[in-house]
Amino acid sequence: MRRYRGALLADGVGTGKTFIGLAVAAALEPGRAIQVMAPAALLTQWREAAVRLELEVRLHSHETLSRGRPPGAEAGPVLIDESHRFRTPSTRRYEILAPWCVGRRGLLLSATPLVNRLEDLSHQLLLLVPDDALSWAGVASLRTQCSSAPAGALAELVVTGEDRSRHLPRPSWRVFQTEEPEGSWFDRMRAGILDLALSTDHAIAGLLRGVLYAALASSPLALAEVLGRYGSLLQHARDAEASGRRLSRQSIRRIIGADTDQLVLWPLIAEPDQAPELTLDDLGPVRSLEAGAREWASQPDAKCFMLRQCIADQKPTLVFAQSTATVGYLRHQLGRRVAWCTGQASGLDGLRLPRDAVLDWFRKPARCADQGLPRPRLLVTTDVAAEGLDLPLIQRVVHYDLPWTAVRLEQRSGRALRLGARHAEVEVIRFLPPARLEAQLHQEAVLEQKTRLPDQLGLGGAATAPWRLRAKLAARWLPLQAVEGVAVISADRAGLVAGFRLVMTDGSTREAVRARTASGWSDDTAVIAQLLECARGDSRVRAVAPHSIRGAMRSVAGLVRKGLQSSQGQRLLPGAHSVAQRRALRRLIALAREAARGRNQVQLAALERGLSVLRRGHTAGEARLVEHWIGLDADGLPASLGQLPPEPSRTEPARVELIGVLVVECGQRLR
């Protein structure tokens, strides 16, 4: 954070990121209040942690940012909890937070920074880290290269590891897949959805059918409510057509409600005023299906019956459902003493209670004893309780409905699989849709694909993840004495390993290791480990042939030249600046000439600061400032430039030192 102004802590769910973040922020700027951005549901948890550590915090919710209200201007280190919520620059919360972060230092916290695509990571980092922060390592732009940046370079900005405390509960996994017989309510509903025309547009019809199938996979009541909303939408469209008007996107949203993804992904419609091509003749069949689904909802379906069997042992269980309707359905089907929680309300059976009171039954052992009540053993909730919450008394987590992202699965299970849990083992159960429905939804395939995203950037927990390989490599070589110089060995493969020390302009040093094989230079930890393993345990002194040294030095020199050109010359490339940067540069240069001719030293100093900002990489907030500058007049622009925060110190490689070289020669016997 001192070096780059920001970093991302990506340790696993439940491993203490809250306490690590507070400790780091307190060490970074002692005595200053820590600015914490967290989901509203987690603010109490952050407040309690800060009180325990006797630290002063200022708490701000993600939801407040989404309503367009930025935090105050008070200085202090920044902690952005569940930072994967800021992976989309077009959201309002991102638009509000990015400019506020300009000039600040902070730490992003997320066990699951990659949700849907590799670019998710760069959007989070750019809240605090300049776009060219890793130019010295050959990454010209985080914005455009994060999806292909070398894992070794990303390790400069992303910290991840594994818990070695042995205090995390052991997970045990079970998977259930229900099957409904032919002629059942489920089968009739599936056939009825298949018979709906939905839309003359094939893509819209596919999206609508997928939403209806997902509701069917959840519960009869979820299907009934989605069909009810869709029926109202069709009725509204028919009324609009009869009166000669078009169904607007805004009216669709009003009818659907806030959770539009639960019904249909309307962004597929290109123009805001474009009328969706819905088949109005579906209104009758939709109303009929809705009536059938509500009749079906009065009884437990096969999936609910299987859940009853799973929880019969009375272990404290957390059940996640996708929709509020399914939470309501399970409340009525699973008997008494069912605690529940949704985004709108929470309670016990039919009694509404504050959310914290409900959650305390599953995180504070004395809660029910204090109230003189028997403790509920079952909590049914939507994903409102999936992030950050610590529920140590839970012994079983049930994914009653599958989400569309692997991140959500991990976040859900993390409510119980975390440090401080009261059980040595936690059971995790996943319910799969019936096979005939899964063939239409492909949820398992989508989840599997998204699960592999972190491994592509070296952030996953796989055995081949670079951070895990580096840790193993360090532990394996730690007992051996380090010697600088050149060594040559023979093996069944050829290659070269070079260790470098980069001395930066501020006097700090950084180390780097690269390996060369037939395919070129790489920082792939697996390749480095394979070549180093060739030298492991070989204690005989080998004479170093001059031609081996000369060849190795020529190759290393080429690598160093390329690295220096990349780190020092990227900003001079024509494509390194955005269109807004280039336009602003031309304008500021013209104004600077005028200020110089008029000997306006104050304005000239402000313009020089602006030019300095434009010539380097930007954070997301700075990029928005540059876009804003273009629209300012000749008087307003210098005034805006005068409000810029102090220019951060820039560090670049001043000198590259070669620490050691290992030459691996194939098939040669050395003397």
Side-chain angles (χ1 to χ4, degrees):
M1 288 164 65
R2 290 192 178 105
R3 183 178 295 168
Y4 300 111
R5 303 195 68 81
L8 189 149
L9 177 61
D11 280 356
V13 175
T15 52
K17 290 187 295 299
T18 298
F19 291 95
I20 296 172
L22 288 169
V24 169
L28 186 72
E29 298 184 33
R32 279 189 166 173
I34 301 168
Q35 308 289 330
V36 177
M37 315 288 156
L42 305 185
L43 293 183
T44 300
Q45 193 165 298
W46 274 97
R47 186 179 294 107
E48 291 175 351
V51 169
R52 288 179 61 184
L53 299 178
E54 299 181 352
L55 294 174
E56 185 180 1
V57 296
R58 301 285 185 267
L59 301 175
H60 316 279
S61 74
H62 293 181
E63 291 77 2
T64 300
L65 293 170
S66 295
R67 289 192 287 271
R69 292 165 51 193
E74 183 181 5
V78 182
L79 296 178
I80 304 177
D81 193 21
E82 307 296 351
S83 65
H84 54 271
R85 289 187 168 201
F86 295 89
R87 65 185 182 274
T88 308
S90 59
T91 59
R92 194 175 192 184
R93 63 168 68 111
Y94 196 102
E95 290 281 352
I96 295 296
L97 184 61
W100 182 86
C101 286
V102 172
R104 298 176 183 269
R105 295 188 295 185
L107 185 64
L108 303 150
L109 308 171
S110 176
T112 51
L114 293 171
V115 180
N116 291 314
R117 56 189 64 85
L118 297 176
E119 290 78 7
D120 291 348
L121 181 62
S122 63
H123 295 318
Q124 294 167 66
L125 289 172
L126 286 168
L127 285 170
L128 297 162
V129 180
D131 189 40
D132 62 346
L134 296 181
S135 60
W136 67 270
V139 181
S141 167
L142 289 174
R143 196 183 311 276
T144 59
Q145 290 184 253
C146 198
S147 58
S148 59
L154 285 178
E156 286 282 322
L157 299 173
V158 183
V159 180
T160 185
E162 59 187 340
D163 177 71
R164 296 188 177 90
S165 67
R166 302 186 185 277
H167 295 316
L168 277 174
R170 298 184 307 275
S172 62
W173 311 92
R174 296 172 67 191
V175 177
F176 293 107
Q177 187 170 36
T178 58
E179 289 298 339
E180 298 274 2
E182 292 189 12
S184 63
W185 273 113
F186 176 90
D187 196 52
R188 280 180 277 169
M189 292 292 110
R190 187 183 66 85
I193 294 170
L194 186 61
D195 289 340
L196 295 174
L198 298 175
S199 175
T200 55
D201 184 298
H202 179 72
I204 292 178
L207 285 170
L208 282 165
R209 206 179 312 277
V211 171
L212 292 171
Y213 278 148
L216 174 60
S218 183
S219 71
L221 190 57
L223 177 62
E225 295 211 354
V226 170
L227 286 166
R229 287 200 298 274
Y230 188 56
S232 298
L233 178 64
L234 291 175
Q235 184 65 59
H236 186 75
R238 177 175 288 183
D239 294 344
E241 184 181 65
S243 60
R245 292 178 298 171
R246 296 204 304 173
L247 186 66
S248 70
R249 189 175 180 142
Q250 288 71 25
S251 62
I252 291 171
R253 284 182 170 170
R254 281 197 297 271
I255 290 172
I256 295 170
D259 192 7
T260 54
D261 285 350
Q262 199 176 58
L263 181 57
V264 67
L265 303 176
W266 291 112
L268 193 92
I269 303 173
E271 298 298 329
D273 59 350
Q274 180 179 347
E277 300 174 358
L278 303 179
T279 303
L280 302 184
D281 291 342
D282 279 342
L283 181 57
V286 166
R287 293 299 191 198
S288 177
L289 283 171
E290 180 192 356
R294 293 197 181 279
E295 182 180 349
W296 180 26
S298 63
Q299 54 190 281
D301 61 347
K303 183 180 176 184
C304 181
F305 183 76
M306 184 172 289
L307 178 62
R308 280 180 173 178
Q309 293 179 311
C310 290
I311 64 175
D313 56 9
Q314 294 295 302
K315 288 181 181 178
T317 300
L318 177 60
V319 178
F320 281 104
Q322 282 289 89
S323 73
T324 300
T326 298
V327 171
Y329 173 73
L330 293 176
R331 280 173 50 199
H332 291 95
Q333 297 296 336
L334 295 177
R336 292 178 54 78
R337 305 296 297 169
V338 176
W340 53 275
C341 186
T342 70
Q344 293 76 40
S346 54
L348 178 66
D349 296 334
L351 178 65
R352 289 200 172 196
L353 296 167
R355 181 184 299 174
D356 281 344
V358 172
L359 295 176
D360 279 351
W361 288 329
F362 299 90
R363 59 189 178 193
K364 296 182 179 179
R367 178 67 180 176
C368 289
D370 293 343
Q371 298 174 331
L373 297 172
R375 179 183 299 280
R377 294 286 177 175
L378 182 64
L379 173 60
V380 183
T381 180
T382 59
D383 284 325
V384 70
E387 287 182 337
L389 293 176
D390 187 358
L391 303 176
L393 302 183
I394 292 294
Q395 197 171 356
R396 179 191 291 119
V397 177
V398 178
H399 302 289
Y400 192 73
D401 297 331
L402 292 182
W404 287 104
T405 66
V407 162
R408 186 61 71 195
L409 279 176
E410 188 172 347
Q411 290 281 358
R412 288 173 171 184
S413 300
R415 299 317 98 220
L417 293 169
R418 58 195 304 112
L419 292 175
R422 298 302 180 93
H423 306 284
E425 183 172 312
V426 172
E427 184 181 29
V428 180
I429 296 177
R430 183 188 297 195
F431 277 76
L432 303 183
R436 285 173 292 173
L437 209 53
E438 174 60 19
Q440 303 292 328
L441 291 171
H442 308 294
Q443 279 186 283
E444 279 287 284
V446 170
L447 288 172
E448 178 62 28
Q449 181 182 6
K450 292 181 179 180
T451 299
R452 293 195 295 267
L453 279 176
D455 292 332
Q456 294 181 43
L457 289 183
L459 303 179
T464 55
W467 60 267
R468 203 181 279 272
L469 285 173
R470 284 196 296 271
K472 289 176 62 177
L473 207 59
R476 185 161 171 75
W477 286 81
L478 186 63
L480 302 182
Q481 182 179 1
V483 179
E484 296 188 4
V486 180
V488 182
I489 62 169
S490 62
D492 58 356
R493 71 191 73 191
L496 182 69
V497 180
F500 301 94
R501 182 180 298 112
L502 282 72
V503 182
M504 312 303 286
T505 51
D506 63 355
S508 64
T509 60
R510 304 172 195 177
E511 284 69 41
V513 180
R514 297 290 184 268
R516 194 201 70 188
T517 60
S519 58
W521 284 98
S522 167
D523 70 344
D524 188 330
T525 310
V527 175
I528 295 170
Q530 289 173 358
L531 290 173
L532 287 178
E533 194 62 29
C534 297
R536 173 82 183 170
D538 196 334
S539 59
R540 289 178 296 170
V541 177
R542 305 285 182 93
V544 180
H547 74 275
S548 297
I549 297 180
R550 286 195 298 270
M553 291 303 110
R554 281 196 299 270
S555 182
V556 169
L559 173 67
V560 171
R561 280 195 300 272
K562 183 178 179 181
L564 288 174
Q565 289 168 1
S566 175
S567 65
Q568 296 177 356
Q570 287 290 356
R571 295 175 207 161
L572 304 179
L573 298 177
H577 297 143
S578 67
V579 173
Q581 276 179 280
R582 291 197 292 271
R583 288 178 61 189
L585 268 171
R586 289 194 294 268
R587 187 153 182 235
L588 262 64
I589 290 172
L591 289 173
R593 287 171 180 160
E594 292 180 16
R597 284 194 295 268
R599 300 183 183 277
N600 188 335
Q601 297 298 324
V602 175
Q603 191 175 79
L604 188 60
L607 291 167
E608 286 178 348
R609 288 188 64 199
L611 287 168
S612 178
V613 170
L614 287 172
R615 289 191 179 102
R616 61 173 173 80
H618 297 153
T619 64
E622 290 169 340
R624 283 159 172 76
L625 284 179
V626 170
E627 294 171 0
H628 175 65
W629 291 348
I630 297 172
L632 295 177
D633 57 28
D635 294 326
L637 180 54
S640 178
L641 296 175
Q643 299 172 2
L644 287 171
E647 181 75 5
S649 59
R650 311 289 297 179
T651 60
E652 296 176 348
R655 188 171 74 254
V656 179
E657 299 176 353
L658 185 61
I659 301 173
V661 177
L662 172 67
V663 181
V664 182
E665 296 185 334
C666 184
Q668 295 187 21
R669 182 177 296 279
L670 301 177
R671 295 181 175 85

